[in-house]
PDB file of all heavy atoms in Angstrom:
ATOM      1  N   GLU D  35      57.018  -9.603 -46.204  1.00 98.00           N
ATOM      2  CA  GLU D  35      57.930  -9.500 -47.343  1.00 98.00           C
ATOM      3  C   GLU D  35      58.921 -10.659 -47.356  1.00 98.00           C
ATOM      4  O   GLU D  35      59.201 -11.264 -48.390  1.00 98.00           O
ATOM      5  CB  GLU D  35      58.704  -8.171 -47.283  1.00 98.00           C
ATOM      6  CG  GLU D  35      57.842  -6.952 -47.601  1.00 98.00           C
ATOM      7  CD  GLU D  35      58.595  -5.629 -47.390  1.00 98.00           C
ATOM      8  OE1 GLU D  35      59.832  -5.687 -47.204  1.00 98.00           O
ATOM      9  OE2 GLU D  35      57.956  -4.579 -47.398  1.00 98.00           O
ATOM     10  N   THR D  36      59.443 -10.961 -46.170  1.00 98.00           N
ATOM     11  CA  THR D  36      60.397 -12.061 -46.066  1.00 98.00           C
ATOM     12  C   THR D  36      59.763 -13.382 -46.494  1.00 98.00           C
ATOM     13  O   THR D  36      60.356 -14.171 -47.235  1.00 98.00           O
ATOM     14  CB  THR D  36      60.912 -12.165 -44.618  1.00 98.00           C
ATOM     15  OG1 THR D  36      61.453 -10.905 -44.248  1.00 98.00           O
ATOM     16  CG2 THR D  36      61.973 -13.243 -44.497  1.00 98.00           C
ATOM     17  N   ILE D  37      58.566 -13.612 -46.000  1.00 98.00           N
ATOM     18  CA  ILE D  37      57.865 -14.844 -46.364  1.00 98.00           C
ATOM     19  C   ILE D  37      57.672 -14.906 -47.877  1.00 98.00           C
ATOM     20  O   ILE D  37      57.893 -15.949 -48.504  1.00 98.00           O
ATOM     21  CB  ILE D  37      56.506 -14.929 -45.627  1.00 98.00           C
ATOM     22  CG1 ILE D  37      56.745 -15.077 -44.118  1.00 98.00           C
ATOM     23  CG2 ILE D  37      55.666 -16.081 -46.157  1.00 98.00           C
ATOM     24  CD1 ILE D  37      55.483 -14.998 -43.289  1.00 98.00           C
ATOM     25  N   ASP D  38      57.287 -13.783 -48.445  1.00 98.00           N
ATOM     26  CA  ASP D  38      57.122 -13.735 -49.897  1.00 98.00           C
ATOM     27  C   ASP D  38      58.433 -14.061 -50.604  1.00 98.00           C
ATOM     28  O   ASP D  38      58.482 -14.904 -51.512  1.00 98.00           O
ATOM     29  CB  ASP D  38      56.665 -12.339 -50.345  1.00 98.00           C
ATOM     30  CG  ASP D  38      55.192 -12.085 -50.026  1.00 98.00           C
ATOM     31  OD1 ASP D  38      54.542 -13.021 -49.497  1.00 98.00           O
ATOM     32  OD2 ASP D  38      54.715 -10.969 -50.283  1.00 98.00           O
ATOM     33  N   GLU D  39      59.484 -13.385 -50.185  1.00 98.00           N
ATOM     34  CA  GLU D  39      60.749 -13.538 -50.884  1.00 98.00           C
ATOM     35  C   GLU D  39      61.318 -14.946 -50.767  1.00 98.00           C
ATOM     36  O   GLU D  39      61.967 -15.452 -51.674  1.00 98.00           O
ATOM     37  CB  GLU D  39      61.759 -12.495 -50.366  1.00 98.00           C
ATOM     38  CG  GLU D  39      61.381 -11.092 -50.826  1.00 98.00           C
ATOM     39  CD  GLU D  39      62.142  -9.996 -50.082  1.00 98.00           C
ATOM     40  OE1 GLU D  39      63.236 -10.292 -49.554  1.00 98.00           O
ATOM     41  OE2 GLU D  39      61.631  -8.856 -50.027  1.00 98.00           O
ATOM     42  N   LEU D  40      61.055 -15.573 -49.610  1.00 98.00           N
ATOM     43  CA  LEU D  40      61.553 -16.948 -49.443  1.00 98.00           C
ATOM     44  C   LEU D  40      60.544 -17.973 -49.964  1.00 98.00           C
ATOM     45  O   LEU D  40      60.745 -19.172 -49.814  1.00 98.00           O
ATOM     46  CB  LEU D  40      61.887 -17.213 -47.971  1.00 98.00           C
ATOM     47  CG  LEU D  40      63.028 -16.355 -47.390  1.00 98.00           C
ATOM     48  CD1 LEU D  40      63.141 -16.576 -45.880  1.00 98.00           C
ATOM     49  CD2 LEU D  40      64.359 -16.675 -48.072  1.00 98.00           C
ATOM     50  N   ASP D  41      59.445 -17.458 -50.500  1.00 98.00           N
ATOM     51  CA  ASP D  41      58.401 -18.321 -51.057  1.00 98.00           C
ATOM     52  C   ASP D  41      57.866 -19.328 -50.042  1.00 98.00           C
ATOM     53  O   ASP D  41      57.760 -20.522 -50.298  1.00 98.00           O
ATOM     54  CB  ASP D  41      58.955 -19.064 -52.290  1.00 98.00           C
ATOM     55  CG  ASP D  41      57.814 -19.611 -53.132  1.00 98.00           C
ATOM     56  OD1 ASP D  41      56.667 -19.128 -52.987  1.00 98.00           O
ATOM     57  OD2 ASP D  41      58.065 -20.546 -53.923  1.00 98.00           O
ATOM     58  N   LEU D  42      57.546 -18.815 -48.875  1.00 98.00           N
ATOM     59  CA  LEU D  42      57.141 -19.706 -47.784  1.00 98.00           C
ATOM     60  C   LEU D  42      55.660 -19.600 -47.433  1.00 98.00           C
ATOM     61  O   LEU D  42      55.207 -20.245 -46.497  1.00 98.00           O
ATOM     62  CB  LEU D  42      57.950 -19.367 -46.522  1.00 98.00           C
ATOM     63  CG  LEU D  42      59.462 -19.577 -46.574  1.00 98.00           C
ATOM     64  CD1 LEU D  42      60.105 -19.045 -45.289  1.00 98.00           C
ATOM     65  CD2 LEU D  42      59.769 -21.065 -46.738  1.00 98.00           C
ATOM     66  N   ARG D  43      54.928 -18.764 -48.171  1.00 98.00           N
ATOM     67  CA  ARG D  43      53.575 -18.456 -47.713  1.00 98.00           C
ATOM     68  C   ARG D  43      52.713 -19.691 -47.489  1.00 98.00           C
ATOM     69  O   ARG D  43      51.952 -19.775 -46.526  1.00 98.00           O
ATOM     70  CB  ARG D  43      52.877 -17.526 -48.726  1.00 98.00           C
ATOM     71  CG  ARG D  43      51.678 -16.774 -48.141  1.00 98.00           C
ATOM     72  CD  ARG D  43      50.880 -16.051 -49.200  1.00 98.00           C
ATOM     73  NE  ARG D  43      50.209 -16.977 -50.076  1.00 98.00           N
ATOM     74  CZ  ARG D  43      49.083 -17.627 -49.788  1.00 98.00           C
ATOM     75  NH1 ARG D  43      48.500 -17.422 -48.619  1.00 98.00           N
ATOM     76  NH2 ARG D  43      48.539 -18.462 -50.634  1.00 98.00           N
ATOM     77  N   GLU D  44      52.868 -20.662 -48.344  1.00 98.00           N
ATOM     78  CA  GLU D  44      51.981 -21.829 -48.277  1.00 98.00           C
ATOM     79  C   GLU D  44      52.423 -22.869 -47.267  1.00 98.00           C
ATOM     80  O   GLU D  44      51.814 -23.927 -47.153  1.00 98.00           O
ATOM     81  CB  GLU D  44      51.848 -22.443 -49.678  1.00 98.00           C
ATOM     82  CG  GLU D  44      51.173 -21.473 -50.637  1.00 98.00           C
ATOM     83  CD  GLU D  44      50.985 -22.061 -52.034  1.00 98.00           C
ATOM     84  OE1 GLU D  44      51.586 -23.120 -52.304  1.00 98.00           O
ATOM     85  OE2 GLU D  44      50.230 -21.457 -52.816  1.00 98.00           O
ATOM     86  N   LYS D  45      53.498 -22.610 -46.582  1.00 98.00           N
ATOM     87  CA  LYS D  45      53.912 -23.588 -45.570  1.00 98.00           C
ATOM     88  C   LYS D  45      54.348 -22.939 -44.262  1.00 98.00           C
ATOM     89  O   LYS D  45      55.005 -23.564 -43.440  1.00 98.00           O
ATOM     90  CB  LYS D  45      55.003 -24.504 -46.126  1.00 98.00           C
ATOM     91  CG  LYS D  45      56.168 -23.793 -46.790  1.00 98.00           C
ATOM     92  CD  LYS D  45      57.243 -24.807 -47.169  1.00 98.00           C
ATOM     93  CE  LYS D  45      58.357 -24.742 -46.177  1.00 98.00           C
ATOM     94  NZ  LYS D  45      59.538 -25.511 -46.444  1.00 98.00           N
ATOM     95  N   THR D  46      53.956 -21.679 -44.094  1.00 98.00           N
ATOM     96  CA  THR D  46      54.348 -20.985 -42.864  1.00 98.00           C
ATOM     97  C   THR D  46      53.150 -20.826 -41.936  1.00 98.00           C
ATOM     98  O   THR D  46      52.043 -20.546 -42.384  1.00 98.00           O
ATOM     99  CB  THR D  46      54.942 -19.607 -43.208  1.00 98.00           C
ATOM    100  OG1 THR D  46      56.088 -19.804 -44.018  1.00 98.00           O
ATOM    101  CG2 THR D  46      55.349 -18.854 -41.942  1.00 98.00           C
ATOM    102  N   ILE D  47      53.410 -21.012 -40.666  1.00 98.00           N
ATOM    103  CA  ILE D  47      52.363 -20.846 -39.652  1.00 98.00           C
ATOM    104  C   ILE D  47      52.822 -19.775 -38.677  1.00 98.00           C
ATOM    105  O   ILE D  47      53.953 -19.798 -38.197  1.00 98.00           O
ATOM    106  CB  ILE D  47      52.136 -22.147 -38.854  1.00 98.00           C
ATOM    107  CG1 ILE D  47      52.134 -23.381 -39.760  1.00 98.00           C
ATOM    108  CG2 ILE D  47      50.881 -22.055 -38.004  1.00 98.00           C
ATOM    109  CD1 ILE D  47      50.908 -23.570 -40.559  1.00 98.00           C
ATOM    110  N   ILE D  48      51.927 -18.856 -38.365  1.00 98.00           N
ATOM    111  CA  ILE D  48      52.235 -17.850 -37.354  1.00 98.00           C
ATOM    112  C   ILE D  48      51.601 -18.238 -36.030  1.00 98.00           C
ATOM    113  O   ILE D  48      50.464 -18.692 -35.977  1.00 98.00           O
ATOM    114  CB  ILE D  48      51.744 -16.439 -37.768  1.00 98.00           C
ATOM    115  CG1 ILE D  48      52.019 -15.437 -36.632  1.00 98.00           C
ATOM    116  CG2 ILE D  48      50.278 -16.431 -38.151  1.00 98.00           C
ATOM    117  CD1 ILE D  48      51.676 -13.993 -36.958  1.00 98.00           C
ATOM    118  N   VAL D  49      52.380 -18.060 -34.984  1.00 98.00           N
ATOM    119  CA  VAL D  49      51.835 -18.211 -33.637  1.00 98.00           C
ATOM    120  C   VAL D  49      51.829 -16.819 -33.011  1.00 98.00           C
ATOM    121  O   VAL D  49      52.877 -16.286 -32.656  1.00 98.00           O
ATOM    122  CB  VAL D  49      52.665 -19.185 -32.786  1.00 98.00           C
ATOM    123  CG1 VAL D  49      52.003 -19.383 -31.425  1.00 98.00           C
ATOM    124  CG2 VAL D  49      52.833 -20.519 -33.505  1.00 98.00           C
ATOM    125  N   ALA D  50      50.648 -16.243 -32.920  1.00 98.00           N
ATOM    126  CA  ALA D  50      50.502 -14.903 -32.362  1.00 98.00           C
ATOM    127  C   ALA D  50      50.480 -14.996 -30.843  1.00 98.00           C
ATOM    128  O   ALA D  50      50.201 -16.054 -30.277  1.00 98.00           O
ATOM    129  CB  ALA D  50      49.226 -14.255 -32.883  1.00 98.00           C
ATOM    130  N   PRO D  51      50.793 -13.901 -30.184  1.00 97.00           N
ATOM    131  CA  PRO D  51      50.837 -13.894 -28.719  1.00 97.00           C
ATOM    132  C   PRO D  51      49.561 -13.287 -28.166  1.00 97.00           C
ATOM    133  O   PRO D  51      48.663 -12.927 -28.923  1.00 97.00           O
ATOM    134  CB  PRO D  51      51.977 -12.920 -28.466  1.00 97.00           C
ATOM    135  CG  PRO D  51      51.710 -11.858 -29.500  1.00 97.00           C
ATOM    136  CD  PRO D  51      51.174 -12.588 -30.716  1.00 97.00           C
ATOM    137  N   VAL D  52      49.513 -13.148 -26.845  1.00 97.00           N
ATOM    138  CA  VAL D  52      48.520 -12.261 -26.269  1.00 97.00           C
ATOM    139  C   VAL D  52      49.235 -10.949 -25.986  1.00 97.00           C
ATOM    140  O   VAL D  52      50.257 -10.921 -25.309  1.00 97.00           O
ATOM    141  CB  VAL D  52      47.905 -12.872 -25.006  1.00 97.00           C
ATOM    142  CG1 VAL D  52      46.817 -11.961 -24.469  1.00 97.00           C
ATOM    143  CG2 VAL D  52      47.322 -14.249 -25.325  1.00 97.00           C
ATOM    144  N   GLY D  53      48.704  -9.903 -26.528  1.00 96.00           N
ATOM    145  CA  GLY D  53      49.324  -8.581 -26.508  1.00 96.00           C
ATOM    146  C   GLY D  53      48.623  -7.796 -27.603  1.00 96.00           C
ATOM    147  O   GLY D  53      47.683  -8.309 -28.229  1.00 96.00           O
ATOM    148  N   CYS D  54      49.072  -6.595 -27.874  1.00 95.00           N
ATOM    149  CA  CYS D  54      48.413  -5.825 -28.928  1.00 95.00           C
ATOM    150  C   CYS D  54      48.395  -6.594 -30.246  1.00 95.00           C
ATOM    151  O   CYS D  54      47.496  -6.429 -31.056  1.00 95.00           O
ATOM    152  CB  CYS D  54      49.111  -4.492 -29.129  1.00 95.00           C
ATOM    153  SG  CYS D  54      48.587  -3.280 -27.897  1.00 95.00           S
ATOM    154  N   SER D  55      49.384  -7.442 -30.434  1.00 96.00           N
ATOM    155  CA  SER D  55      49.462  -8.190 -31.689  1.00 96.00           C
ATOM    156  C   SER D  55      48.692  -9.502 -31.638  1.00 96.00           C
ATOM    157  O   SER D  55      48.938 -10.407 -32.430  1.00 96.00           O
ATOM    158  CB  SER D  55      50.924  -8.438 -32.048  1.00 96.00           C
ATOM    159  OG  SER D  55      51.614  -8.975 -30.948  1.00 96.00           O
ATOM    160  N   VAL D  56      47.755  -9.592 -30.721  1.00 96.00           N
ATOM    161  CA  VAL D  56      46.942 -10.815 -30.618  1.00 96.00           C
ATOM    162  C   VAL D  56      46.237 -11.129 -31.935  1.00 96.00           C
ATOM    163  O   VAL D  56      45.979 -12.278 -32.264  1.00 96.00           O
ATOM    164  CB  VAL D  56      45.931 -10.674 -29.455  1.00 96.00           C
ATOM    165  CG1 VAL D  56      44.950  -9.534 -29.710  1.00 96.00           C
ATOM    166  CG2 VAL D  56      45.182 -11.961 -29.211  1.00 96.00           C
ATOM    167  N   PHE D  57      45.935 -10.069 -32.694  1.00 95.00           N
ATOM    168  CA  PHE D  57      45.237 -10.282 -33.967  1.00 95.00           C
ATOM    169  C   PHE D  57      46.183 -10.599 -35.119  1.00 95.00           C
ATOM    170  O   PHE D  57      45.739 -10.772 -36.249  1.00 95.00           O
ATOM    171  CB  PHE D  57      44.444  -9.036 -34.359  1.00 95.00           C
ATOM    172  CG  PHE D  57      43.189  -8.835 -33.584  1.00 95.00           C
ATOM    173  CD1 PHE D  57      43.047  -7.767 -32.725  1.00 95.00           C
ATOM    174  CD2 PHE D  57      42.133  -9.731 -33.713  1.00 95.00           C
ATOM    175  CE1 PHE D  57      41.880  -7.580 -32.007  1.00 95.00           C
ATOM    176  CE2 PHE D  57      40.957  -9.547 -32.997  1.00 95.00           C
ATOM    177  CZ  PHE D  57      40.834  -8.474 -32.138  1.00 95.00           C
ATOM    178  N   ALA D  58      47.475 -10.644 -34.850  1.00 96.00           N
ATOM    179  CA  ALA D  58      48.446 -10.800 -35.940  1.00 96.00           C
ATOM    180  C   ALA D  58      48.085 -11.971 -36.842  1.00 96.00           C
ATOM    181  O   ALA D  58      48.277 -11.916 -38.056  1.00 96.00           O
ATOM    182  CB  ALA D  58      49.857 -10.964 -35.368  1.00 96.00           C
ATOM    183  N   TYR D  59      47.537 -13.019 -36.258  1.00 96.00           N
ATOM    184  CA  TYR D  59      47.223 -14.197 -37.071  1.00 96.00           C
ATOM    185  C   TYR D  59      46.100 -13.939 -38.068  1.00 96.00           C
ATOM    186  O   TYR D  59      45.844 -14.769 -38.929  1.00 96.00           O
ATOM    187  CB  TYR D  59      46.921 -15.409 -36.182  1.00 96.00           C
ATOM    188  CG  TYR D  59      45.634 -15.307 -35.381  1.00 96.00           C
ATOM    189  CD1 TYR D  59      44.607 -16.212 -35.591  1.00 96.00           C
ATOM    190  CD2 TYR D  59      45.465 -14.338 -34.419  1.00 96.00           C
ATOM    191  CE1 TYR D  59      43.433 -16.130 -34.859  1.00 96.00           C
ATOM    192  CE2 TYR D  59      44.312 -14.245 -33.686  1.00 96.00           C
ATOM    193  CZ  TYR D  59      43.295 -15.158 -33.911  1.00 96.00           C
ATOM    194  OH  TYR D  59      42.151 -15.062 -33.191  1.00 96.00           O
ATOM    195  N   GLU D  60      45.440 -12.804 -37.920  1.00 96.00           N
ATOM    196  CA  GLU D  60      44.444 -12.442 -38.937  1.00 96.00           C
ATOM    197  C   GLU D  60      45.029 -11.487 -39.978  1.00 96.00           C
ATOM    198  O   GLU D  60      44.454 -11.303 -41.033  1.00 96.00           O
ATOM    199  CB  GLU D  60      43.230 -11.787 -38.288  1.00 96.00           C
ATOM    200  CG  GLU D  60      42.519 -12.730 -37.341  1.00 96.00           C
ATOM    201  CD  GLU D  60      41.142 -12.198 -36.940  1.00 96.00           C
ATOM    202  OE1 GLU D  60      40.814 -11.032 -37.275  1.00 96.00           O
ATOM    203  OE2 GLU D  60      40.396 -12.950 -36.299  1.00 96.00           O
ATOM    204  N   PHE D  61      46.144 -10.864 -39.640  1.00 97.00           N
ATOM    205  CA  PHE D  61      46.715  -9.871 -40.541  1.00 97.00           C
ATOM    206  C   PHE D  61      47.578 -10.502 -41.626  1.00 97.00           C
ATOM    207  O   PHE D  61      47.849  -9.881 -42.647  1.00 97.00           O
ATOM    208  CB  PHE D  61      47.526  -8.839 -39.761  1.00 97.00           C
ATOM    209  CG  PHE D  61      46.704  -8.081 -38.752  1.00 97.00           C
ATOM    210  CD1 PHE D  61      47.241  -7.675 -37.549  1.00 97.00           C
ATOM    211  CD2 PHE D  61      45.368  -7.778 -39.015  1.00 97.00           C
ATOM    212  CE1 PHE D  61      46.475  -6.978 -36.627  1.00 97.00           C
ATOM    213  CE2 PHE D  61      44.596  -7.086 -38.086  1.00 97.00           C
ATOM    214  CZ  PHE D  61      45.160  -6.683 -36.887  1.00 97.00           C
ATOM    215  N   PHE D  62      48.021 -11.719 -41.365  1.00 98.00           N
ATOM    216  CA  PHE D  62      48.811 -12.424 -42.375  1.00 98.00           C
ATOM    217  C   PHE D  62      47.900 -13.358 -43.163  1.00 98.00           C
ATOM    218  O   PHE D  62      46.948 -13.914 -42.611  1.00 98.00           O
ATOM    219  CB  PHE D  62      49.923 -13.233 -41.701  1.00 98.00           C
ATOM    220  CG  PHE D  62      51.020 -12.369 -41.137  1.00 98.00           C
ATOM    221  CD1 PHE D  62      50.932 -11.849 -39.855  1.00 98.00           C
ATOM    222  CD2 PHE D  62      52.147 -12.070 -41.901  1.00 98.00           C
ATOM    223  CE1 PHE D  62      51.932 -11.041 -39.341  1.00 98.00           C
ATOM    224  CE2 PHE D  62      53.159 -11.269 -41.398  1.00 98.00           C
ATOM    225  CZ  PHE D  62      53.054 -10.749 -40.115  1.00 98.00           C
TER     226      PHE D  62
END
Side-chain angles (χ1 to χ4, degrees):
Chain D
E35 288 174 11
T36 304
I37 294 173
D38 285 358
E39 289 166 23
L40 296 173
D41 198 19
L42 296 174
R43 200 189 68 79
E44 296 182 348
K45 50 174 258 187
T46 299
I47 318 284
I48 177 176
V49 184
V52 183
C54 279
S55 50
V56 63
F57 285 114
Y59 68 118
E60 297 193 352
F61 299 146
F62 289 87

